[in-house]
Amino acid sequence: MWFALAPGLLNPGIAAAASAEAQAAIASAHPLATAAGHEILKRGGNAFDAAVAVAAVLAVVEPYASGLGGGGLWLLHRAADGHQVMVDARETAPAGVKPELYIDGSGKPIRGATTQGGRAAAIPGAPAALVHVARNYGALPLAETLAPAIRHARDGFPVDERYARLAGLRERFLQARPEAAHIFLDDNHAPRPGWRLRQTELAATLERLGKEGNRGFYAGDVAEAVVAAVNRAGGAWQLSDLTGYRVIERAPLRVQYREAIITTAALTSAGGIALVQSLQMLERFETSDARSPRDAHLVIEALRRAFRDRAAYLGDADFVAVPVERLTSKAYAAQQAATIDPGAATRSEAPERGPAPAGSANTTHLSVVDAAGNRVAATLTINLLFGSGVVARGTGVLLNNEMDDFTLRADVPNSFRLRGGEANAIAPGKRPLSSMTPTFVEDAKGVLVLGTPGGSRIVSQLLLAVLDYVHAPAVDLEAIVGAPRYHHQWWPDRVEAEPEGFPAPWRAALEAKGHRLESARRKWGNMQVVFKSKQTGVAQAVSDPRGSTD
Ligand code: DON
């Protein structure tokens, strides 16, 4: 956990400087990334510069989670004029995408096609996001904000236990891909903690991005190397897929829940819509403690309805008509809430059970607020651990496997056991639905900036955190981040609970209502939260304790 520094007390000069510092806070999944953000704030950068620096360092120090070969959703708030926007830097299906790359002659999904190798990768948005946020919102040149990341990539850094464990989990996957193994393994084996990971080629790519902007990645040598690597690994990319990539600025979703205003991700995230729907359904009931069995039942039922709608209606709205207004309207929430029986679980229409979804170290989140009140919540990903495993020779860029977030067939769930429909089917130039849900919550107490990895479980984590924040009279960030989690996503028809999180009577009470409880083997999520108090102006940062143990 990394807290903002306390204000200085003695020398008024120091106190002024320190108190500006105390009004800013950064939470991220890695201390080197958080430190880079503070370094940039000290150099006169704003929250947007700091977020770019943090994101770039995360790309270097958590290469299994995010990186230049991935994408992300950035939620921004500019204090000067209250401008709020979501920068959609989601990866995009290449123009040459064809169903036969993923579905065989008998209509069956081809094993591994959306998760491994070139077919699994979609056109990265991460580099364009760094450029876009820095140029349009930052105060410092991109070359300066990328400097800490370039340093860590070039000089190397000692890997932590988390890296060692995750590389161990993916050791065979990486060994089968020499370009990746060469960079991420120590002599072809998962390293021990303390081993120095050097990424000189990635440092050079970051340097080019800093100097040349988008051209440094999406055109020229880097782009050519990326296209060649993906196609060698079975993909069907063209240079024009990269030169044509654009981030899209979208209006975030906003909803009032009791006295709080929640600003959250729009499509191509499905998470924001589910959050809005769930809050509006829950507002129809008297609730006060989302961890009590009584309220948990209502939360689960709200999630069941929101995830059912996700599967039925949601996809990239630039390609399909999505009834967002209706789904997020109070009238629809009232209708849906009326179908919730406070005494009994509704059965999902597709009640099969499935194996537990992937873990939560394969995506990352950063939250920043600065002294002026600018805010950033950004969730960044290459999807599954070490993405597709494809590294473009000479660039250090590891490509995502975000194609797995599309729906291949209505009856085939993805790695997060998510089902979907035609609206989320693969098409050239389309963006796959995401669960990433960067969010702001604002009320009389202050402003909360938050988000987390966890695939489909992102949505329930955000919902619980927002409920906890709004329901509690005082702000306790550690309680919000540390409280035990449960999750439901319509299909499979079960409720997952974190191990040791819930006592037997809690489980019994939910089972008595007809819920199928399942104890997850591991805890999930790695929530990063900052809070700025309206009363004092002081900002705090808290990182999920699970981040060091997951
Ligand atoms: O965009 C999504 O929904 C997924 N690609 C996010 C993956 C994720 O959070 C994995 N972390 N556990």
Side-chain angles (χ1 to χ4, degrees):
M1 280 174 216
W2 300 282
F3 287 94
L5 299 175
L9 293 174
L10 301 174
N11 175 324
I14 294 174
S19 104
E21 219 160 74
Q23 291 174 33
I26 299 174
S28 89
H30 200 288
L32 290 177
T34 303
H38 284 295
E39 178 185 329
I40 291 300
L41 288 178
K42 279 204 197 90
R43 293 168 81 105
N46 59 22
F48 310 115
D49 296 307
V52 168
V54 174
V57 173
L58 290 172
V60 172
V61 299
E62 289 190 316
Y64 43 79
S66 72
L68 292 187
L73 301 178
W74 297 59
L75 190 64
L76 313 182
H77 170 93
R78 186 169 56 202
D81 58 358
H83 176 64
Q84 293 190 325
V85 71
M86 183 183 87
V87 178
D88 174 348
R90 187 71 167 151
E91 301 92 325
T92 301
V97 86
K98 291 192 252 354
E100 53 273 31
L101 291 173
Y102 306 95
I103 303 275
D104 70 15
S106 61
K108 283 214 201 76
I110 300 169
R111 218 181 141 76
T114 59
T115 54
Q116 300 178 17
R119 285 174 292 187
I123 310 303
L130 298 175
V131 173
H132 184 87
V133 174
R135 293 238 167 107
N136 293 282
Y137 299 96
L140 300 178
L142 182 60
E144 194 173 337
T145 44
L146 293 185
I150 294 167
R151 207 168 63 224
H152 292 308
R154 191 189 48 224
D155 302 346
F157 68 97
V159 301
D160 54 14
E161 261 173 45
R162 191 158 182 249
Y163 181 101
R165 194 168 39 74
L166 298 172
L169 282 179
R170 293 295 260 172
E171 189 178 55
R172 289 195 19 218
F173 176 80
L174 293 168
Q175 284 167 343
R177 295 164 177 82
E179 293 288 342
H182 178 65
I183 299 172
F184 302 117
L185 296 181
D186 173 13
D187 206 10
N188 215 30
H189 291 286
R192 289 172 182 277
W195 174 70
R196 213 168 179 83
L197 170 58
R198 284 198 179 79
Q199 301 171 82
T200 45
E201 294 172 340
L202 182 61
T205 303
L206 282 163
E207 215 155 11
R208 283 176 85 146
L209 189 69
K211 281 200 192 111
E212 299 172 33
N214 283 330
R215 265 182 305 113
F217 182 90
Y218 293 92
D221 295 350
V222 173
E224 279 168 26
V226 166
V227 170
V230 167
N231 291 349
R232 235 190 338 264
W237 287 19
Q238 299 153 25
L239 265 181
S240 53
D241 288 320
L242 286 168
T243 48
Y245 184 86
R246 298 283 180 275
V247 299
I248 301 172
E249 287 211 342
R250 302 188 190 272
L253 295 182
R254 295 189 106 207
V255 68
Q256 177 161 0
Y257 174 72
R258 299 196 180 169
E259 302 305 314
I261 302 290
I262 290 94
T263 306
T264 188
L267 286 172
T268 51
S269 169
I273 293 176
L275 181 63
V276 169
Q277 285 188 294
S278 302
L279 288 171
Q280 296 201 124
M281 280 183 249
L282 290 168
E283 201 162 32
R284 323 269 324 165
F285 298 89
E286 295 274 316
T287 58
S288 56
D289 174 7
R291 300 297 182 307
S292 71
R294 182 193 164 277
D295 289 5
H297 166 70
L298 299 170
V299 169
I300 292 159
E301 291 303 308
L303 285 167
R304 187 190 308 278
R305 284 153 181 79
F307 272 97
R308 181 206 54 207
D309 283 350
R310 169 186 178 143
Y313 300 113
L314 301 194
D316 182 342
D318 295 338
F319 283 72
V320 291
V322 181
V324 177
E325 267 186 37
R326 184 171 75 84
L327 293 176
T328 56
S329 69
K330 282 204 182 297
Y332 182 68
Q335 245 176 46
Q336 292 300 302
T339 70
I340 296 177
D341 178 345
T346 310
R347 285 273 72 83
S348 294
E349 297 86 340
E352 304 99 297
R353 298 161 85 88
S360 50
N362 26 342
T363 289
T364 197
H365 181 88
L366 64 93
S367 294
V368 183
V369 62
D370 67 15
N374 297 305
R375 317 169 203 153
V376 180
T379 311
L380 312 164
T381 188
I382 54 170
N383 201 23
L384 307 181
L385 273 186
F386 290 99
S388 64
V390 177
V391 170
R393 196 170 294 164
T395 69
V397 175
L398 170 64
L399 275 306
N400 67 84
N401 53 0
E402 221 69 60
M403 293 300 285
D404 194 58
D405 280 344
F406 280 117
T407 302
L408 285 186
R409 254 180 26 190
D411 59 341
V412 177
N414 76 353
S415 296
F416 298 101
R417 318 313 301 163
L418 283 166
R419 289 178 170 229
E422 211 27 58
N424 190 37
I426 295 178
K430 195 173 171 188
R431 298 180 180 204
L433 271 185
S434 175
S435 299
M436 296 187 290
T437 314
T439 298
F440 304 144
V441 185
E442 186 165 3
D443 67 359
K445 292 177 281 189
V447 174
L448 191 72
V449 177
L450 74 166
T452 182
S456 51
R457 291 168 177 152
I458 290 172
V459 182
S460 49
Q461 291 179 67
L462 262 293
L463 179 58
L464 290 175
V466 171
L467 293 170
D468 288 351
Y469 173 83
V470 175
H471 291 168
V475 181
D476 184 343
L477 297 189
E478 277 164 343
I480 290 173
V481 161
R485 293 170 177 152
Y486 56 85
H487 173 71
H488 176 70
Q489 60 180 54
W490 171 66
W491 190 91
D493 192 351
R494 65 171 177 211
V495 177
E496 289 180 286
E498 282 191 328
E500 298 143 33
F502 300 93
W506 185 91
R507 304 166 64 91
L510 283 162
E511 278 165 355
K513 293 191 176 179
H515 294 288
R516 298 167 179 149
L517 268 289
E518 212 164 275
S519 203
R521 263 175 302 158
R522 307 184 71 91
K523 297 182 178 186
W524 60 79
N526 193 8
M527 190 171 275
Q528 306 297 329
V529 180
V530 301
F531 172 73
K532 194 174 174 79
S533 161
K534 281 206 175 141
Q535 275 85 49
T536 63
V538 171
Q540 298 170 257
V542 170
S543 295
D544 202 319
R546 296 164 185 82
S548 43
T549 55
D550 68 352

